[in-house]
């Protein structure tokens, strides 16, 4: 396995005017140009970190209150609020990219009522404070929720979960379920400035998918998390159970045609911008901050993209560890491109390029940006100068 963290350090050192102290997070960051790498838990509103001490040329890799998008229960709250506001304009369908979801134990009673109104439907539960597929389970009986409820009632501070209606008709490739990992760079929240990277990959399950409820406990079938799949004997170490998004796009073009494929990738881009708009007013803007998000998107058999809190979500610190040569090349290019756009050296002179490396500007200020005259999204297209 490759680990890109030391290579990030090399990439930073190779840049002009780059002091060594800028490579670590410090509450007393000083110097000329630096990127301070902050832990995701160290920049909350109560962290005590004084951003006013930072120079204009110093950057942090997280915004204060970034967790409004990346913590599952808060993301659901913000998406629901945005959807409700648009109901008055008749545009609630703009936010139909996440399934019916409840936060437990807070909304336990409402969830039970919904469960009883729709018996036989499969739901999926996930703890908000855990990652890599830990603690996830599927359920189709209220007794399973009651058993869980009894366990958390015995704790002094119950763990928060989200429970979502399970999408049981995903798009399959080779009979296997998959989701997409794509990368989004936010340079500012006010005004909102968003770049989407053209590269990304599909993450596959290692077991063939079926709707047979006898397989509800088979997480190798239902989840695509690499940490889960690695435990399966069917895991393919040569591919890492991954496939480039560019290959997926070629497959979809051959099977579904240009119009349907272009619409799907354009809709994925809309999921990104609309989710960011939903949290724009609650994430604290700071000129010293930027954010590289890892979005996980699920596509259903009707070619509709979904942002789902149980297996697809928004990651504040997407993994830069790699399993294959292709994965290494993708993430190395991603880091180089992101650092170039963060631009602590001032090479861009305050300008926002329409495209930079593999990144394309998709939102600036109050309006979307279309880098290509006919394609609704450049996601999955060729990156100039890359193999």
């Amino acid at each position: 396995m490759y680990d890109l963290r030391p290579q990030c350090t090399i990439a930073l050192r190779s840049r002009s005017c780059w002091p060594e102290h800028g490579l670590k997070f410090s509450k007393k960051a000083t110097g000329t140009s630096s990127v301070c790498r902050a832990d995701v838990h160290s920049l909350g509103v109560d962290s005590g970190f004084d951003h006013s001490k930072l120079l204009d040329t110093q950057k942090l890799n997280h915004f204060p209150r970034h967790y409004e998008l990346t913590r599952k229960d808060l993301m659901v709250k913000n998406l629901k609020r945005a959807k409700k506001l648009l109901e008055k304009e008749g545009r609630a369908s703009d936010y139909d990219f996440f399934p019916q979801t409840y936060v437990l134990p807070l909304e336990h009673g409402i969830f039970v009522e919904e469960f009883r109104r729709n018996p036989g439907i499969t739901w999926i539960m996930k703890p908000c404070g855990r990652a890599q597929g830990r603690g996830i389970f599927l359920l189709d009986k209220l007794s399973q929720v009651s058993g869980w409820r009894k366990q958390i009632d015995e704790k002094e501070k119950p763990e928060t979960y989200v429970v979502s209606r399970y999408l049981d008709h995903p798009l399959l490739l080779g009979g296997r379920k998959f989701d997409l990992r794509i990368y989004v760079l936010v340079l500012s929240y006010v005004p909102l400035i968003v770049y989407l990277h053209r590269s990304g990959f599909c993450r596959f399950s290692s077991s063939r998918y079926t709707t047979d409820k006898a397989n509800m406990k088979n997480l190798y079938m239902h989840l695509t998390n690499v940490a889960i799949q690695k435990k399966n004997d069917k895991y393919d170490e040569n591919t890492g159970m991954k496939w480039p998004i560019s290959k997926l796009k070629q497959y979809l073009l051959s099977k579904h045609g240009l119009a349907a494929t272009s619409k799907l990738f354009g809709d994925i881009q809309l999921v990104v911008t609309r989710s960011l708009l939903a949290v724009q007013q609650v994430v604290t803007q700071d000129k010293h901050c930027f954010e590289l998000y890892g979005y996980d998107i699920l596509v259903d058999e009707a070619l509709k993209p979904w942002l789902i809190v149980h297996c697809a979500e928004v990651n504040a610190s997407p993994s830069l560890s790699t399993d294959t040569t292709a994965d290494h090349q993708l993430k190395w290019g991603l880091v180089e491109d992101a650092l170039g756009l963060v631009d602590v050296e001032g090479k861009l002179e305050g300008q926002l390029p329409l495209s930079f490396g593999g990144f394309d500007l998709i939102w600036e200020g109050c309006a979307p940006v279309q880098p290509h005259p006919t394609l609704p999204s450049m996601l999955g297209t060729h990156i100039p100068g890359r193999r």
Side-chain angles (χ1 to χ4, degrees):
M1 174 182 288
Y2 299 99
D3 188 342
L4 278 181
R5 286 174 295 179
Q7 297 185 57
C8 288
T9 302
I10 295 172
L12 289 170
R13 285 174 177 165
S14 68
R15 296 176 177 269
S16 60
C17 303
W18 208 277
E20 182 70 21
H21 64 259
L23 303 177
K24 294 182 180 179
F25 175 71
S26 170
K27 292 190 177 183
K28 296 181 180 180
T30 59
T32 54
S33 299
S34 59
V35 168
C36 303
R37 183 174 63 82
D39 180 85
V40 293
H41 302 295
S42 57
L43 292 180
V45 291
D46 301 322
S47 66
F49 186 84
D50 187 357
H51 291 224
S52 66
K53 301 298 183 182
L54 292 173
L55 303 178
D56 288 344
T57 53
Q58 293 178 315
K59 302 290 184 180
L60 293 171
N61 65 320
H62 293 297
F63 285 91
R65 298 187 66 87
H66 67 279
Y67 46 78
E68 293 284 350
L69 179 63
T70 57
R71 183 176 163 92
K72 301 166 189 65
D73 52 340
L74 297 180
M75 181 182 75
V76 170
K77 177 195 71 174
N78 290 314
L79 291 177
K80 285 183 176 180
R81 185 186 65 246
K83 185 173 183 176
K84 188 172 183 178
L85 288 173
L86 288 179
E87 285 180 356
K88 301 175 183 178
E89 304 175 21
R91 294 174 49 210
S93 60
D94 286 1
Y95 280 82
D96 281 347
F97 55 79
F98 67 100
Q100 200 169 9
T101 303
Y102 300 95
V103 177
L104 305 184
L106 180 65
E107 298 177 316
H108 179 263
I110 303 174
F111 165 65
V112 169
E113 290 180 10
E114 180 62 29
F115 194 104
R116 287 172 174 164
R117 277 197 295 265
N118 296 279
I121 289 177
T122 301
W123 298 77
I124 185 166
M125 289 187 63
K126 183 175 184 178
C128 294
R130 297 191 233 175
Q132 298 184 330
R134 291 190 290 266
I136 298 179
F137 63 95
L138 277 68
L139 58 103
D140 64 346
K141 295 182 176 62
L142 203 53
S143 58
Q144 294 168 281
V145 185
S146 301
W148 168 84
R149 175 78 189 197
K150 183 179 179 181
Q151 293 176 12
I152 66 168
D153 283 345
E154 295 173 353
K155 299 180 181 179
E156 293 184 6
K157 189 176 181 180
E159 186 174 11
T160 302
Y161 274 70
V162 289
V163 57
S164 299
R165 189 163 178 168
Y166 186 67
L167 297 181
D168 51 8
H169 293 287
L171 180 64
L172 303 179
L173 287 180
R176 288 176 169 80
K177 185 177 178 179
F178 69 95
D179 66 5
L180 309 181
R181 164 59 62 87
I182 60 176
Y183 297 96
V184 176
L185 179 66
V186 176
L187 296 181
S188 168
Y189 267 98
V190 182
L192 185 60
I193 299 173
V194 186
Y195 282 85
L196 175 63
H197 207 267
R198 297 184 185 186
S199 64
F201 52 86
C202 308
R203 304 184 306 177
F204 284 85
S205 64
S206 52
S207 296
R208 294 178 68 86
Y209 181 78
T210 174
T211 55
D212 187 348
K213 293 194 174 184
N215 292 298
M216 282 181 57
K217 293 184 178 181
N218 184 358
L219 297 185
Y220 299 131
M221 175 189 301
H222 295 287
L223 304 183
T224 59
N225 309 65
V226 175
I228 294 288
Q229 297 301 328
K230 280 185 174 180
K231 300 175 183 178
N232 193 357
D233 293 338
K234 298 178 181 178
Y235 178 77
D236 187 343
E237 294 184 354
N238 294 322
T239 64
M241 305 303 296
K242 297 174 183 177
W243 202 39
I245 281 186
S246 58
K247 297 291 186 183
L248 171 68
K249 194 167 192 177
Q250 292 172 18
Y251 167 79
L252 293 175
L253 284 169
S254 66
K255 185 174 178 63
H256 297 281
L258 177 61
T261 302
S262 295
K263 183 181 185 304
L264 168 61
F265 280 77
D267 288 346
I268 291 173
Q269 186 165 300
L270 285 174
V271 169
V272 170
T273 55
R274 287 170 179 171
S275 64
L276 291 169
L277 287 168
V279 301
Q280 184 184 18
Q281 301 304 318
V282 291
V283 173
T284 305
Q285 165 63 13
D286 192 304
K287 66 179 181 180
H288 300 104
C289 299
F290 68 96
E291 198 89 41
L292 180 63
Y293 292 113
Y295 270 72
D296 296 335
I297 305 290
L298 184 71
V299 180
D300 68 18
E301 63 182 8
L303 297 187
K304 178 179 178 177
W306 294 85
L307 184 62
I308 312 178
V309 292
H310 62 261
C311 66
E313 55 193 356
V314 185
N315 298 274
S317 295
S319 172
L320 294 179
S321 61
T322 63
D323 301 298
T324 66
T325 300
D327 205 19
H328 176 265
Q329 292 173 344
L330 183 158
K331 292 179 179 177
W332 173 257
L334 172 73
V335 170
E336 277 284 299
D337 296 341
L339 291 175
L341 278 172
V342 171
D343 191 35
V344 293
E345 300 101 331
K347 293 181 179 180
L348 299 179
E349 298 181 344
Q351 300 299 309
L352 292 175
L354 197 60
S355 296
F356 186 95
F359 278 108
D360 295 290
L361 182 64
I362 63 171
W363 191 278
E364 181 182 4
C366 299
V369 178
Q370 188 171 345
H372 192 275
T374 58
L375 292 177
S377 176
M378 298 297 288
L379 180 64
T381 61
H382 176 68
I383 301 175
R386 304 269 173 90
R387 296 175 60 184

